[in-house]
Amino acid sequence: MKVKRYNLIPCLLLIYLCVMSYIGYPAYASGKFSAAYYFGTIALTLVILVLLRFFLKKKHDYRERRNADNQQKGSR
């Protein structure tokens, strides 16, 4: 089973976000960052990842449709 790029890239970035959140948690716990800053950054990044996934999926669907049209025109 092949993993689609529109799923792979956001998943890898989500793993990166989790690692960076884990690394940054001690700074948040010690009071260097406010809760709004720490969790706001995580929430904003999650929204961006969801939008990225939908954008990449739409781009993939458009490319598939264009390739199908080109193959159909070439077989005439």
Side-chain angles (χ1 to χ4, degrees), residues 24-36 38-39:
Y25 184 77
Y28 161 70
S30 70
K32 287 186 179 179
F33 301 125
S34 67
Y38 181 75
F39 293 110

Side-chain angles (χ1 to χ4, degrees), residues 40-57:
T41 302
I42 292 171
L44 180 63
T45 306
L46 287 174
V47 168
I48 291 170
L49 289 177
V50 169
L51 291 174
L52 174 66
R53 195 267 179 200
F54 285 119
F55 175 75
L56 291 174
K57 174 73 171 134

Side-chain angles (χ1 to χ4, degrees), residues 5-50:
R5 184 184 303 172
Y6 59 82
N7 287 329
L8 179 66
I9 293 172
C11 286
L12 291 175
L13 290 172
L14 179 63
I15 292 169
Y16 177 75
L17 173 64
C18 291
V19 170
M20 290 294 108
S21 298
Y22 179 76
I23 291 171
Y25 184 77
Y28 161 70
S30 70
K32 287 186 179 179
F33 301 125
S34 67
Y37 179 77
Y38 181 75
F39 293 110
T41 302
I42 292 171
L44 180 63
T45 306
L46 287 174
V47 168
I48 291 170
L49 289 177
V50 169

